[in-house]
């Protein structure tokens, strides 16, 4: 019985788990190539061939090592490389089974080369997930295809294990990795020492009330402790148990208990108590350096990054937090005020630069159509007005630095083939003044001018790690200042002969100083949880951001830290050494690699017309648009480039004979999107019995199937015009629809009724229902302009959206009328921080079509587009307005666990009022006249939603209800359920 329940659950949930996840499309102009290796088939743009060859060789060498501690070597996986996006990330998803990497490296990264970092982290995900494909899960794969593994993954395996184990792999198999990073682990360290341990559900699933570090950080601390206490097999055996016993509703919990004698909650408590004990012991050895904390306006969690003192009073900084829109603020040291200069758009975590005249930064912008063409553009704003202006378009510029005297700005430029250059631009026009190519195989990180403006200081990252360099603009000469290292040194600044930068100290990341007189840089800060983003002040002081349990806070450095001779390594470093030693022992047991065989790969063409890739199927008919499930069968295809999506199915439900066969095709490879929907089936007509025309009696005995078909073909143009603080989208679509039903014919035998006898007259009457043949055109134009908000907002707090529609019969078909209208919505901020008022005005006008054959009392008509007032199932209308007012606000942020069933994060309430104005014609038969009627139905009520996580599933659900009264005084109510599920993936 439990196995049957799991199969049903997977059938219901599989389309939600990564099945249809789509990361977007690359430009159609690109030409693709491929390299096939034992670990992966790499598919990449032709201009990226050299880098792909190097990556293929690295993956050949590292794949056995990544899978060694799991004792598993997956079969080759498809790996799609996106090199035209300035957004850095990577992910793995199943159904279709693939990984996609965004190859342009970020400015804030670990000292491991970016593609090597992705190879370690993402390929570990491949090993983890493929490990599940065994036992009962493998049997399910025969029934469901690749979505079986995806379904088991999403239903059972917590994300903290997947991400924590991948971070463990990048740490143990390289000389850096986030497991060694003090900054990466500072958030949980500060929380545990100052706020204590949250509940397991809150730590994993988050909170709207408090800032909670994500499951990447939580996961590494848990997974590494598991390896320390129970050895490398602990997670391998747990995942294998889940794969073999996925029929059990608590497979992961049981597998974990077999290895550790603990459930998830007990392991979390033991792990975090142990880290807390170690970090408290470390805190006793820290002798904090003197600093002056700037006054803060809010005690809420906020990160103040990249502080710059532009004069004796004002400090410019980037500020963000879970309840705050990302922005640039001007902080006043004298009166302690903070004023928002401007709100930022989509942006990576990288430097900004400021002086008395203004501030420069970069923002990401997506191509209007191609999601995988993303630029990083340079912006400037005046400190007096906050007026923004764009200095570059369709560039990939990063980490700008304003010249100390001239109207110039230096930026890092990245190319799609991973070449880098340092470019100096005119601040007024954005014109290029100087260009200096980076040394071969080196990435440029966060440049800053020296005090005289004659050169730049920056870190270079290459195969040997990371090293501090200077660039002389007069000669173009790169000069190495400090030796290469695999430590996470970053964010250098200079004033005179003094150079400050961030780097790892014994227990935290701190600010270091190097003047050239010392043999090694000197640690100048000692803080409780770390310091970063140093910047000298005009009067010769030093600003930096000091991490606290409430985020990064701006501080002035007063006195250098005392010199300490701490012999003990930190808990993080001790753990990293243990994990590295475990990996060496595991690798020693591997068979030696064949050093005589050197694989040489030759890139070959990959056709973008590889459109079919059947990956999953189900013994059920899945209605993707209607969200329903019926008996039948369905198969799904999605190609690697994400340009073609196909589903084909057979609906065996007796109540749905009209859609027995269904085919859906979506093609996204051209600039416009193309879609095709086809359904075919039949309707059963069973009529038995007499009919009379008053004089004769006819007997009908009919049992026929009448075939019917429907076709919908569409073309649409989605455009993304988002800029700065606003998300802007336009969508235009044209759809052609065809509906056909064959004619129905029957012969009726004629009888004459004489007394009690029926006498056959020998005549027959032909009964006929005419063939239905509808052709229609549907036009829509939608615009959306929404201000970016914070994660705590219940709905958007500022913006507008509108949609125009028109649908009519076309091409000489049966006239089934027309409908036209619009829908609009305006969002306005409410009195609270995260509530909102939104008003909508919808209108539609319908015209009648021709009369139905054989029934002159009926006429064809288009169905409604806009809604009725809530609480009404039907409102007659030829012309109708619907006006709505809605107010939503957070009611309670409990962060409470409801047994093993749910974790409740937020209760929110909505108040609504709907008012319709409907006009329609009603025929008064005794008088044979049409009378125009006017009605004004209305309703009012409230909605209550619980934003919750069910069964510890990572994606939230909104569960609630609605209650109200109509204008006639009738009470109505209903249940509301929604989710944020649109795909399931594990990423970088």
């Amino acid at each position: 019985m439990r196995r049957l329940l799991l199969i049903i659950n997977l059938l219901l949930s599989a389309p939600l788990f990564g099945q249809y996840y789509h990361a977007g499309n690359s430009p159609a102009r690109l030409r693709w190539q491929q390299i096939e290796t034992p670990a992966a088939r790499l598919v990449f743009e032709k201009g990226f061939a050299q880098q792909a060859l190097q990556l293929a060789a690295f993956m050949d060498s590292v794949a056995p090592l990544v899978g060694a501690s799991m004792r598993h070597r997956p079969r080759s996986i498809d790996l799609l490389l996106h090199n035209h996006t300035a957004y850095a990330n990577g992910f793995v998803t199943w159904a279709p089974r693939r990984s996609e990497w965004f190859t342009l490296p970020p400015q804030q990264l670990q000292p491991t080369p970016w593609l090597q970092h992705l190879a370690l982290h993402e390929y570990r995900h491949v090993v983890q997930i493929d490990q599940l494909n065994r036992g009962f899960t493998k049997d399910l794969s025969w029934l469901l295809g690749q979505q079986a593994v995806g379904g088991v993954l999403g239903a059972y395996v917590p994300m903290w294990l997947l991400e924590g184990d991948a971070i463990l792999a990048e740490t143990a198999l390289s000389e850096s990795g986030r497991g060694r990073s003090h900054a990466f682990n500072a958030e949980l360290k500060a929380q545990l020492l100052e706020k204590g341990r949250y509940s397991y559900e809150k730590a994993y699933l988050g909170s709207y009330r408090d800032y909670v570090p994500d499951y990447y950080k939580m996961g590494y601390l848990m997974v590494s402790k598991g390896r320390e206490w129970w050895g490398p097999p602990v997670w391998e055996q747990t995942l294998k148990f889940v794969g073999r016993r996925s029929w059990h509703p608590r497979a992961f919990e049981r597998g974990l208990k077999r290895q550790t004698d603990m459930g998830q909650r007990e392991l979390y408590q033991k792990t975090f108590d142990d880290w807390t004990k170690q970090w408290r012991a470390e805190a006793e050895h820290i002798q904090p350096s003197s600093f002056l904390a700037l006054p803060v306006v809010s005690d809420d969690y906020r990160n103040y990054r990249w502080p710059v003192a532009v004069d004796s009073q004002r400090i410019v900084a980037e500020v963000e937090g879970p309840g705050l829109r990302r922005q640039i603020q001007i902080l006043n040291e004298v009166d302690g005020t903070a004023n928002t200069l401007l709100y930022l758009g989509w942006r990576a975590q990288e430097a900004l630069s400021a002086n008395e005249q203004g501030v420069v930064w970069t923002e990401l912008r997506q191509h209007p159509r191609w999601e995988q063409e993303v630029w990083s553009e340079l912006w400037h704003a005046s400190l007096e007005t906050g007026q923004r202006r764009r200095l570059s378009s369709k560039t990939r510029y990063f980490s700008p630095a304003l010249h100390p005297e001239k109207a110039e700005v230096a930026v890092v430029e990245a190319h799609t083939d991973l070449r880098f250059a340092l470019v100096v631009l005119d601040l007024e026009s954005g014109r290029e003044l100087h260009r200096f190519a980076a040394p071969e195989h080196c990435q440029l990180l966060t440049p800053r001018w020296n005090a005289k403006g004659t050169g730049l200081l920056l870190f270079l990252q290459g195969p040997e790690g990371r090293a501090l360099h200077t660039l002389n603009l007069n000669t173009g000469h790169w000069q190495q200042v400090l030796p290469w290292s695999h430590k996470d040194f970053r964010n250098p600044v200079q004033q005179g002969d003094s150079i400050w930068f961030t780097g790892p100290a014994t227990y935290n990341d701190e600010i270091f100083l190097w003047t050239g007189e010392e043999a090694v840089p000197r640690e100048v800060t000692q803080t409780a949880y770390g310091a970063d983003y140093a910047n000298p002040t005009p009067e010769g002081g030093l600003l930096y951001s000091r991490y606290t349990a409430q985020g990064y806070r701006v501080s002035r450095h007063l006195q250098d830290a005392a010199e300490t001779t701490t012999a003990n390594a930190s808990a993080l470093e001790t753990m990293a050494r243990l994990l590295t030693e475990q990996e060496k022992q595991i690798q020693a047991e591997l068979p030696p690699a064949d050093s005589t065989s050197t694989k040489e790969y030759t890139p070959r063409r990959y056709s973008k017309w590889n459109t079919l890739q059947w990956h999953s199927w189900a013994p059920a008919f899945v209605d993707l648009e209607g969200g329903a499930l019926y008996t039948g069968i369905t198969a799904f295809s999605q190609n690697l480039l994400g340009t073609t999506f196909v589903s084909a199915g057979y609906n065996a439900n007796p109540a749905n004979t009209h859609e027995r066969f269904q085919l859906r095709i979506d093609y996204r490879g051209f600039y416009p999107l193309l879609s095709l929907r086809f359904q075919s089936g039949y309707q059963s007509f069973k009529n038995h019995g007499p009919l009379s025309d008053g004089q004769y009696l006819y007997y009908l005995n009919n049992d026929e199937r009448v075939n019917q078909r429907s076709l919908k073909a569409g073309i649409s143009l989605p455009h993304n015009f988002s800029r700065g603080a606003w998300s802007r989208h336009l969508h235009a679509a044209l759809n052609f629809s065809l509906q056909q039903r064959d004619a129905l014919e029957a012969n009726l035998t004629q009888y004459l009724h004489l007394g009690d006898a029926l006498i056959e007259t020998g005549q027959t009457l032909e009964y006929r229902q005419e063939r239905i043949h509808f052709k229609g055109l549907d036009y829509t134009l939608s615009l959306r302009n929404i201000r970016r908000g914070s994660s705590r907002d219940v709905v958007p707090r500022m913006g507008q959206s509108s949609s125009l529609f028109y649908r009519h019969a076309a091409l000489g078909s049966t006239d089934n009328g027309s409908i036209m209208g619009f829908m609009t919505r305006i969002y306005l901020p409410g009195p609270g921080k995260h509530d909102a008022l939104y008003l909508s005005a919808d209108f539609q006008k319908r015209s009648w079509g021709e009369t139905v054959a054989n029934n002159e009392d009926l006429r064809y008509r288009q169905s409604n587009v806009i809604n009725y007032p809530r609480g009404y199932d039907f409102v007659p209308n030829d012309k109708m307005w619907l006006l709505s007012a809605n107010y939503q606000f957070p009611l309670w942020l409990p962060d409470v666990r409801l047994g093993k069933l749910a974790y409740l994060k937020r209760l929110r309430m909505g108040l609504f009022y709907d008012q319709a104005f409907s006009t329609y014609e009603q025929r008064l038969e005794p008088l044979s006249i049409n009378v125009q009627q006017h009605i004004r139905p209305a309703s009012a009520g409230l909605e209550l939603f619980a934003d919750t996580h069910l069964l510890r599933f990572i994606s939230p659900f909104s569960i609630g209800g609605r209650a109200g009264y109509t204008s006639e005084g009738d009470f109505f109510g209903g249940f509301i359920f929604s989710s944020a599920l649109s795909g399931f993936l594990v990423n970088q």
Side-chain angles (χ1 to χ4, degrees), residues 41 45 107 159 161 171 264 305 309 322 383 403 496 534 549 603 650 705 733 767 818 936-937 942 971 979:
R41 177 176 68 165
E45 189 249 331
Q107 286 285 289
M159 293 297 294
L161 170 57
T171 302
Q264 297 176 64
R305 293 188 172 97
L383 293 190
H403 194 283
Y650 172 75
R705 291 183 175 181
Y767 173 81
S818 66
R936 301 177 59 183
L942 60 84
F971 175 80
S979 75

Side-chain angles (χ1 to χ4, degrees), residues 745-756:
E745 296 181 354
N747 292 324
L748 283 69
T749 305
Q750 188 181 77
Y751 295 88
L752 183 61
H753 196 186
L754 295 177
D756 294 332

